[in-house]
Amino acid sequence: MKKMFDEDDEEFQEFDKAKIIVSVIPVILIVLILAIMLLINNRNKEDKNTDDVQQSIMDYADENAENENDRVQADSDAVKDSLQEIQKEEMPTPSATPEATPSPTPYKEIMQQAKVDLSKIKFDKDAQLKEMMAYWADSNQKALDDLVNLDRFKAMSWKLKGTDDCYYYGNLNASGQADGTGIAVYADNQYYYGEWKNGVRNGNGTWVHYHFHNGEKTNDAYTYHQYTGSWVNDLPEGEGSEHYDFNSDNLKEDVRYSSNRIGSYHAGLVDGEFYITTIEKGKEDMLEWEAKAQQGSWTYPVDTKDKKGNRPVFRDYNDPNNYFWMLPKDNVNIGVPCLISKNKN
């Protein structure tokens, strides 16, 4: 009997073990499943957080890029504005001389018949020119001015009216042509004293155009115009200077008049570098300018023009941003005005 009971106990114990195992396994499985689900849930959260972080970084980068573009554009606009302001400051503006004439053109012929009939005045050209030559050799300008105002000197010049001939007194060559030192008178109160060669002005000499009037004409701004310098073939050639004297009562308002031009000439025209002075009515200060010319035209120091089409031709000697302006149509054939010469074009 005992053996039978022992066998039963063993079977019961085996049954209890199986029962326990069956009960525990589901619990373990449930725990594993929960653990796996928790792990998956955490992984999803991390991925979501990563995506959020990446999106935030991208949004931040985009925002900064937009801000940087805005800043660059603003800087670019600021630079453009600054350049425009600089250009405005550097752009020369016309001086207050709307009627400025840098190359004065005195009346081509100023002598007029009036109360005194110059055609009936007697004169001795050789004696008068000899008399004048002595004063010129002594640089006696006062005596020269007095002589040219005498009727007999006016009549001598009047006799040549309408021609390019002259009366000459001085040295001659073997052919009887003016050669060496001599003096001559032309029409319109023009005189020359200096060197000659083969009948024409050649070398160094001074030419003067007196602007006095035998008639009632009173609007001429000039009293006389003078060129002193080098001559070739009867025309200014090489280094020389021009000087103008004025009747201040006849100067126009707001007009600059050239009073001196010192520079280089070719065939009677300005050609090379120049130093120029100008005056204005009612102003004591004389302005100084520098300029360059080529074949009778002033070159433009800057490529610009004003609303009227004027372009800068002279640069202020003391202020490089200030210019003297003129119309291009007037910037041609600039030379010694009124000069009478057989070789003048």
Side-chain angles (χ1 to χ4, degrees):
M1 292 294 293
K2 184 176 179 181
K3 186 178 178 178
M4 183 180 62
F5 286 131
D6 290 339
E7 290 178 354
D8 291 338
D9 289 339
E10 289 177 359
E11 291 178 357
F12 181 77
Q13 289 176 356
E14 291 294 330
F15 176 79
D16 287 340
K17 288 179 181 180
K19 184 177 181 180
I20 291 170
I21 291 170
V22 170
S23 300
V24 170
I25 288 174
V27 173
I28 294 172
L29 290 174
I30 291 172
V31 171
L32 290 173
I33 290 171
L34 290 174
I36 292 170
M37 291 179 65
L38 181 61
L39 181 62
I40 292 172
N41 185 52
N42 289 336
R43 176 65 58 85
N44 290 337
K45 286 184 179 180
E46 290 176 359
D47 292 341
K48 184 176 183 304
N49 290 337
T50 301
D51 292 340
D52 291 342
V53 170
Q54 291 177 346
Q55 184 63 40
S56 297
I57 292 173
M58 293 176 63
D59 292 343
Y60 177 78
D62 291 340
E63 181 179 355
N64 281 348
E66 291 178 359
N67 291 337
E68 182 65 17
N69 289 336
D70 292 341
R71 185 184 67 79
V72 171
Q73 183 64 39
D75 291 343
S76 178
D77 292 340
V79 170
K80 290 180 179 178
D81 293 339
S82 298
L83 288 174
Q84 290 176 353
E85 290 298 322
I86 292 173
Q87 290 174 348
K88 289 179 180 178
E89 292 177 359
E90 293 181 347
M91 182 64 67
T93 55
S95 51
T97 55
E99 300 179 48
T101 52
S103 179
T105 305
Y107 296 95
K108 190 167 184 180
E109 188 166 293
I110 63 175
M111 292 185 71
Q112 298 175 336
Q113 190 62 273
K115 293 180 180 179
V116 177
D117 187 353
L118 295 175
S119 64
K120 296 181 179 180
I121 301 295
K122 294 182 179 182
F123 61 90
D124 185 335
K125 60 182 180 61
D126 289 338
Q128 290 176 199
L129 290 175
K130 180 180 180 181
E131 178 184 9
M132 176 175 277
M133 189 174 183
Y135 289 123
W136 216 312
D138 290 339
S139 301
N140 192 337
Q141 188 66 50
K142 177 63 170 57
L144 291 172
D145 294 343
D146 290 339
L147 287 179
V148 297
N149 276 281
L150 297 176
D151 287 344
R152 59 191 173 94
F153 276 85
K154 291 180 182 178
M156 179 173 60
S157 180
W158 177 267
K159 188 69 174 181
L160 296 166
K161 180 178 171 63
T163 75
D164 56 12
D165 294 330
C166 69
Y167 295 139
Y168 172 81
Y169 179 84
N171 297 328
L172 302 173
N173 61 18
S175 300
Q177 297 174 312
D179 200 293
T181 301
I183 188 171
V185 58
Y186 298 80
D188 207 28
N189 298 313
Q190 297 190 25
Y191 294 85
Y192 172 83
Y193 172 77
E195 296 177 346
W196 299 72
K197 185 175 183 180
N198 296 329
V200 297
R201 290 167 284 194
N202 198 93
N204 292 312
T206 298
W207 166 88
V208 178
H209 184 198
Y210 287 93
H211 284 247
F212 50 75
H213 300 277
N214 194 42
E216 299 299 324
K217 198 171 193 176
T218 59
N219 62 343
D220 194 346
Y222 304 90
T223 57
Y224 80 88
H225 171 211
Q226 172 180 302
Y227 169 83
T228 299
S230 180
W231 297 73
V232 173
N233 198 26
D234 213 46
L235 293 171
E237 179 78 29
E239 297 302 311
S241 64
E242 293 180 71
H243 173 71
Y244 293 85
D245 262 17
F246 301 91
N247 181 344
S248 58
D249 293 335
N250 292 336
L251 296 180
K252 295 181 180 179
E253 298 286 347
D254 298 325
V255 176
R256 283 185 180 151
Y257 295 86
S258 294
S259 53
N260 293 284
R261 290 199 308 213
I262 303 172
S264 181
Y265 296 77
H266 174 64
L269 300 176
V270 292
D271 190 80
E273 297 184 354
F274 274 82
Y275 167 81
I276 300 166
T277 63
T278 60
I279 64 169
E280 290 184 66
K281 185 174 184 177
K283 296 183 179 180
E284 295 182 359
D285 292 338
M286 179 177 64
L287 294 182
E288 300 173 284
W289 310 87
E290 56 185 4
K292 292 183 180 180
Q294 186 174 7
Q295 298 179 350
S297 296
W298 302 113
T299 60
Y300 304 117
V302 291
D303 186 16
T304 186
K305 61 182 178 180
D306 65 10
K307 294 180 179 179
K308 295 182 179 180
N310 290 289
R311 299 194 65 183
V313 290
F314 303 163
R315 188 191 297 270
D316 193 322
Y317 194 79
N318 298 304
D319 181 2
N321 293 318
N322 186 35
Y323 296 90
F324 192 109
W325 300 63
M326 70 183 299
L327 290 171
K329 69 179 183 66
D330 298 325
N331 189 21
V332 293
N333 296 323
I334 297 172
V336 180
C338 306
L339 175 67
I340 296 175
S341 171
K342 292 182 181 295
N343 295 327
K344 189 174 181 180
N345 294 329

